Amino acid sequence: MSVLRLIASFSVLASVLVLGATAAAQPAGPEPPAVKLTPPKLLSEPRVDYPAGARGDARVVLTLVVDRTGAVTAAIASDVNEPFSSAASAAALEFLFEPALRDGVPVAAKIRMELVFREPPPPSVDPQDDEAEQPPEPEPEPEPAGPIEVVVRGERAEPSRSASLSRAEVRQIPGTFGDPFRAIEALPGVTPIVSGLPFFFIRGAPPGNVGYFLDGVRVPLLFHVGIGPSVVHPGLIERVDLYPGGYPARYGRFAGGIVAGETTEPTSRFKGEYNLRLFDAGAMVEVPFADGRGTALVGGRYSYTAFLLSLVSPGTLLEYWDYQARVTYDLTREDRVGVFAFGSYDFLGQVTETSTLTLFGTEFHRVDLRYDRRLHGKGNLRTALTIGLDKSSVQQDRSVVSRLLGGRTELTQRLDEQVSMRAGTDIQFDTYSVELGTNDLSPEATRASALFPSRTDMAFGVRGDVVVTIDDRLEVTPGVRADLYASDGASAVGVDPRVAGRLTVSERVAVLSTFGVAHQPPAFVVPVPGFQPGGLRGGLQRALQQSLGLELDLGDDTLLTTTVFQNAFFNMTDPLGASEPELDGCAPGTFPAESLAGDYVVSRDNPPDCAARFEPGTLGPDRSGGGGQAASSRGGRRAVDLFEVRTLGSAYGLEVFLKRKLTRKFGGFVSYTLSRSTRSYQRRQYVAAFDRTHVLNVAAAYDLGRNWRAGGRVMFYTGLPTPPNPFEPDKTRLPPFFRADARLEKRWQLSDTAWISAIAEWMNATLNKEPVQTECTLAGCEAETIGPVTIPSIGLEGGF
Amino acid sequence: MTPLCSRLIASVVVLTCLACGAQDPPKAPPCERECQDAVALRALREMAKLVYNLKLQGQPVGPQDATTPCPLGGQARVFGEAYSNALQGSTEVQLSYVFETCRYLSRDDEPGENYDMTLDGTLSQVGTLAVQPTASTALVMASESMSFAGSVYDPPLAFNELECAVSLGQSGNSLAGFICDREAGLEL
């Protein structure tokens, strides 16, 4: 049988316990003399032959004893998983290390190491997946019991990827409820709209310009009922990466940022996860079949909010569910076929005596058929066909239905030791059927109908980039993608050059830089299935994105990244951020100029918000009737107009991200963003409506022992811009906001692989209210707050 | 609703726009006496408002006396005293309106806001006119003898009342009172 050499990754998971240096692990007491410890460094190539007769993937955690010469004298697997355990142990005995040093003197050391067997290789694996592994790092203590953390497979992070969180880490971040996608709000460059609302501005780009992908398939709706849990079971997510700008060429059609989730690799063993919370329950199970050549996974979540709400609010109906299914089958060692399906359903309705009226309903379904072929160990080729259905419904059975048909090819090929190539094409057809009713001739309905016509959209893209490694210190990735868009008789082409670079200054220091152009058709405010403006009215949006960063490996699983960025946006659609800050109501001394003697006047060319009050000593108008008594609902009236407004924008700032793995005994991160985002419209430049100067997240998780784990998180950000008011002319911002989240988990290890946890989590445990705008009355102007938006949660999670 | 919220749920706004209307216009319900009286009161109030806004708004406070031709014939005179409170955004009035064959026409999609009316008589008006949303209108209006001639509603219904007593109160946009000793009211 052919032997696959596929150690794609290896990583030291836990401890280096330098023999004779155990004092470092002692509890509090007199501080021992400072001892400089240097962990062993791997000198040999960490390759292990894939065991003959084995199937699927496996990971083995070894405890190695490295003697003073650097030889491995013992290699013991922590779990029995044959034939992988034996293969790993045997191979590890051949590894050669540079011995550990104590104050410069070689000493014996004990380390833990994880070896991951992958067969066949993961599809669409980037070439750098095969890069040399990172050297082992010392760890103070073994990992706590629990699910093994998914390890990034020795992959050298792409320069445009500002942060990556594994599922195991996300579980430790309070306030995320274990949802990997929800954790995005804590990352640098991400500016929340409102605390708890999982839609974000990323480096100044609005939520509609942020693309969400799962295994390369775009996800049209990420969160249930807009603010609920994500539509994909967290157990299926291996990790989530954030690309805030200058992203790789494989990502396109979004001129903001990219949030990319990767699902877990198919596994050769029977495994599952389940959770039970106050409002929903979910489960996921994966089983191998055909002697491990195939795997089948099903998962989903169901909310029983309908039942709960019926107890407290019988007139309201709210329900949601989602599902995921995946089947893979290895035709040969080089060929795998698979299907991945996922979908989601949300419904908000009003229950009457005779029927249930739809207030808002949305659903989407995706089926991705895949064929993956490994190219002689030097690359991968994926060919995929995606079909989908999106549907959103509103009152009176108005609805938008979109049917999707798309195909794509993705090629990853190593050309030689220094050059790898990534290329691909894709084409997608979206057929929209919009049911508006034909008798509504109101201006708003007419305008909305023009924005969302029934039609078929087409997008075709070609892209490619090469990863060039020069002298093992400089890695440059130039690339380009071109997209052709057609919609409702209009067409446009976007050509997006990209380049990214990584300069390794030293073993622990690297300089990262990115530059990219990104195009995108007009976007809706937030992702809603089926709601894509049609006709390319106003042309494509365009963004120029660039960043320069410094990455510093502080050791001990701690990484510090600082990045400066600058984005420029052209022709952008940003209904959220493009509006100048405005008061709720008119400031004392002014009145709504849109109302004149009760008659309604709107002028877009000369928008008269509030005009000076009538001159003292003169008579004011009689404004009885016709809306003249309290005409202040300007925002809603302009919402439709805002979709047609195109603005210029810019954003620049500094990001700092200090992270120590949250799965460590003590882990956490500090994420800070200092930025400024502006918009220009009709020759006026102003601070974007959702600009926040400072955004700070500090999170920490600590293993209390006995399988208790506690975590806390503080989120702070600057208030939104506010227009000047006559009482406080110097005040330009609403008050800042902060909240504190908490999490406590108790885990029981039921067997080698089975576990169950009880988790209490509370987002905004401090019950802080958030200022959202300035409200003016005759008595003056003050901040108007909402909330407190707080989510306490108690639940059970388990797995096997 | 705050602008923030309106932006956040702009999608809902658009969806609502998609959802609104789209039904055949319902047939206008029958308009009986009470309905007809309400439309007549609307005509009286809006004609007074028209005269005020034509001649008095923007004028210096104090004694007032002005006459204006009505849009479709006749004339109207307004006199009395009016003062403003610029800080609060209101105008205090003590005025009389004298309509002389003053004709005014209103057409609207709402059946109850259609009329073609000619007024003869004097209407007194005392109270507060709101100028900005933070103030509220509070008025007392009365006429010992007001004549109405014309039509109200859509489809038009003849409305003719001679030397009719009118007494009205207005709070905000709510108008209520008596016309020809019959109770009537409406929302402006």
Side-chain angles (χ1 to χ4, degrees), chain A residues 2-146:
Chain A
S2 64
V3 176
L4 300 178
R5 303 173 64 84
L6 48 81
I7 293 294
S9 72
F10 112 96
S11 170
V12 174
L13 265 186
S15 69
V16 156
L17 194 59
V18 178
L19 301 182
T22 53
Q26 295 299 320
E31 284 292 324
V35 175
K36 182 180 181 183
L37 301 176
T38 304
K41 293 180 181 175
L42 187 63
L43 299 177
S44 60
E45 193 175 20
R47 290 187 179 276
V48 183
D49 290 342
Y50 189 86
R55 303 293 309 176
D57 298 339
R59 67 186 81 230
V60 176
V61 178
L62 297 173
T63 300
L64 304 182
V65 177
V66 182
D67 68 12
R68 286 181 290 182
T69 69
V72 178
T73 58
I76 302 170
S78 59
D79 297 308
V80 177
N81 183 12
E82 298 298 356
F84 300 104
S85 305
S86 297
S89 299
L93 289 171
E94 305 300 321
F95 292 171
L96 182 62
F97 286 83
E98 185 177 298
L101 302 175
R102 186 177 65 177
D103 288 338
V105 178
V107 294
K110 186 184 290 183
I111 64 173
R112 294 185 71 198
M113 171 186 289
E114 182 191 66
L115 297 174
V116 180
F117 293 84
R118 297 203 184 280
E119 187 279 321
S124 297
V125 171
D126 291 333
Q128 56 263 55
D129 285 357
D130 293 327
E131 296 286 346
E133 307 299 341
Q134 299 296 316
E137 297 291 347
E139 300 286 343
E141 296 187 42
E143 285 294 300

Side-chain angles (χ1 to χ4, degrees), chain A residues 613-615 617-623, chain B residues 52-53 56-62 64 81-95 125-132 135-139:
Chain A
R613 185 179 47 224
F614 56 93
E615 286 291 324
T618 66
L619 299 178
D622 179 358
R623 304 175 61 244
Chain B
Y52 176 93
N53 285 328
L56 298 192
Q57 70 164 320
Q59 297 299 312
V61 299
Q64 311 290 329
E81 293 187 348
Y83 298 90
S84 66
N85 182 336
L87 182 61
Q88 185 173 349
S90 60
T91 301
E92 308 296 329
V93 298
Q94 189 170 350
L95 299 170
Q125 183 186 62
V126 178
T128 301
L129 287 171
V131 177
Q132 64 185 51
S136 187
T137 294
L139 292 172

Side-chain angles (χ1 to χ4, degrees), chain A residues 360 394 396 398 436 439-440 448 524 531 590 592 597 613 617-625 629 643 690 772-773 784, chain B residues 2-4 11 14-15 18-22 24 45 49 52-53 57-59 61 84 86 91 131-133 137 170 173:
Chain A
F360 185 74
V394 293
Q396 300 181 20
R398 309 294 190 271
L436 298 177
N439 297 325
D440 189 350
F524 197 57
F531 272 81
T590 65
R613 185 179 47 224
T618 66
L619 299 178
D622 179 358
R623 304 175 61 244
S624 303
Q629 285 293 315
F643 287 100
F690 286 88
V772 292
Q773 78 172 30
E784 182 184 7
Chain B
T2 67
L4 173 68
S11 56
V14 172
L15 294 172
L18 304 185
C20 62
D24 292 333
R45 179 66 186 90
K49 170 181 167 182
Y52 176 93
N53 285 328
Q57 70 164 320
Q59 297 299 312
V61 299
S84 66
T91 301
V131 177
Q132 64 185 51
T137 294
Q170 181 181 339
N173 280 333

Side-chain angles (χ1 to χ4, degrees), chain A residues 354-652:
Chain A
T354 56
S355 63
T356 299
L357 304 177
T358 301
L359 297 178
F360 185 74
T362 187
E363 61 185 293
F364 77 86
H365 309 275
R366 291 288 184 275
V367 179
D368 197 46
L369 305 167
R370 302 159 172 180
Y371 166 60
D372 294 308
R373 177 167 178 77
R374 191 174 194 208
L375 304 174
H376 306 294
K378 292 185 176 180
N380 299 277
L381 174 65
R382 165 170 287 186
T383 306
L385 176 70
T386 306
I387 57 176
L389 173 71
D390 297 349
K391 181 177 182 181
S392 294
S393 304
V394 293
Q395 302 171 49
Q396 300 181 20
D397 295 328
R398 309 294 190 271
S399 65
V400 179
V401 178
S402 169
R403 293 174 177 80
L404 177 153
L405 175 63
R408 69 184 188 280
T409 58
E410 302 169 358
L411 171 66
T412 299
Q413 180 74 40
R414 178 180 291 277
L415 302 179
D416 59 35
E417 287 301 314
Q418 278 76 42
V419 181
S420 296
M421 176 190 70
R422 302 177 295 193
T425 65
D426 76 292
I427 188 168
Q428 182 169 315
F429 296 92
D430 293 279
T431 300
Y432 295 88
S433 301
V434 184
E435 296 294 335
L436 298 177
T438 56
N439 297 325
D440 189 350
L441 300 178
S442 67
E444 290 81 4
T446 303
R447 206 170 298 156
S449 176
L451 278 170
F452 300 96
S454 295
R455 83 281 181 186
T456 295
D457 287 358
M458 187 275 288
F460 172 70
V462 182
R463 49 89 173 174
D465 58 15
V466 290
V467 183
V468 182
T469 305
I470 304 169
D471 194 23
D472 278 340
R473 300 179 71 85
L474 176 62
E475 179 185 281
V476 181
T477 308
V480 66
R481 69 172 294 131
D483 292 281
L484 168 65
Y485 305 89
S487 175
D488 204 27
S491 63
V493 174
V495 179
D496 303 351
R498 315 266 172 85
V499 63
R502 164 189 284 270
L503 174 63
T504 303
V505 178
S506 70
E507 188 179 352
R508 294 186 179 276
V509 179
V511 177
L512 316 174
S513 67
T514 68
F515 173 81
V517 176
H519 286 86
Q520 180 181 358
F524 197 57
V525 186
V526 293
V528 177
F531 272 81
Q532 168 63 41
L536 301 172
R537 288 156 59 109
L540 299 178
Q541 303 181 75
R542 186 169 69 253
L544 267 62
Q545 305 165 321
Q546 56 184 334
S547 67
L548 180 65
L550 185 68
E551 184 180 274
L552 181 59
D553 183 355
L554 301 176
D556 203 23
D557 272 342
T558 306
L559 193 68
L560 172 66
T561 307
T562 60
T563 306
V564 293
F565 68 89
Q566 194 266 332
N567 289 350
F569 305 103
F570 304 91
N571 208 29
M572 71 187 303
T573 54
D574 180 15
L576 290 176
S579 299
E580 288 187 78
E582 57 186 27
L583 301 170
D584 180 22
C586 288
T590 65
F591 68 94
E594 294 170 347
S595 292
L596 179 61
D599 299 321
Y600 212 53
V601 177
V602 174
S603 170
R604 288 187 57 193
D605 296 331
N606 183 24
D609 286 336
C610 295
R613 185 179 47 224
F614 56 93
E615 286 291 324
T618 66
L619 299 178
D622 179 358
R623 304 175 61 244
S624 303
Q629 285 293 315
S632 61
S633 57
R634 300 184 303 275
R637 214 167 45 246
R638 290 179 180 169
V640 174
D641 297 341
L642 285 171
F643 287 100
E644 298 177 348
V645 170
R646 294 303 184 97
T647 59
L648 297 172
S650 77
Y652 56 91

